[in-house]
Amino acid sequence: MALHLIKLAVGVDDLAHMKKVQAARRKERGQSPRSPHWVYTRNSPRRGEDLVGGSLYWVIRGVIRVRQELVGFEDEFDEESGKKFCRIKLKRTLIQTAPRACKAFQGWRYLEPERAPPDLASGDTADMPPEMAAELKRLGLL
């Protein structure tokens, strides 16, 4: 099984908002409509080879709610600032996961496969408002 990453989606309210933000960023960067999504980060993962085939899990408002499949990494250098950075290449498809609370952190973290929340199937809590699903999960009813 592939290793995963987890990252905060800062300033994102919900799944619909995340789709809009990612589309706007791709347009701002001049990417083609079918191009993958890029996430920029300061440090390159040391375990990059273990991550390809895994996913990047997004924490939205303190809850893991969605993931995107990891495709690859590219180390780059910003000539203006003189700093290096890493681009994380993701498939554009957002896959909803079972809501799972997560404490805040900076940057990204590795996520072992056994700790990753399962995907939501049609008819699961995907049919109810995310806040309700999170509250029911917190109460131990889901």
Side-chain angles (χ1 to χ4, degrees):
M1 277 194 161
L3 188 63
H4 306 293
L5 287 179
I6 186 169
K7 186 166 175 44
L8 300 180
V10 178
V12 175
D13 297 322
D14 54 28
L15 181 62
H17 187 220
M18 181 165 220
K19 286 179 182 180
K20 288 179 188 175
V21 167
Q22 286 191 354
R25 287 187 180 152
R26 282 191 302 274
K27 185 175 180 180
E28 181 181 292
R29 295 175 188 146
Q31 292 178 269
S32 69
R34 299 239 183 249
S35 66
H37 185 70
W38 292 99
V39 175
Y40 293 83
T41 184
R42 185 180 318 150
N43 297 313
S44 196
R46 289 189 178 113
R47 298 170 68 184
E49 290 179 16
D50 298 336
L51 291 163
V52 175
S55 293
L56 174 65
Y57 284 80
W58 290 102
V59 179
I60 300 172
R61 301 256 179 219
V63 179
I64 301 172
R65 294 199 183 274
V66 67
R67 71 179 179 90
Q68 287 178 282
E69 293 179 49
L70 285 162
V71 178
F73 303 89
E74 287 183 12
D75 289 322
E76 298 285 336
F77 186 78
D78 182 9
E79 306 236 352
E80 287 182 25
S81 68
K83 295 181 181 179
K84 68 177 187 108
F85 63 93
C86 176
R87 291 193 310 180
I88 303 171
K89 185 178 181 181
L90 305 170
K91 287 188 179 179
R92 292 176 53 177
T93 306
L94 295 169
I95 303 164
Q96 283 189 281
T97 64
R100 183 171 294 164
C102 184
K103 293 180 182 179
F105 56 89
Q106 290 185 346
W108 50 262
R109 298 285 182 266
Y110 292 111
L111 180 65
E112 298 296 330
E114 59 274 3
R115 296 193 59 225
D119 294 347
L120 286 181
S122 181
D124 282 347
T125 56
D127 296 340
M128 67 176 70
E131 296 79 22
M132 181 186 294
E135 182 66 14
L136 291 172
K137 182 87 169 171
R138 188 184 69 74
L139 294 170
L141 299 173
L142 283 180

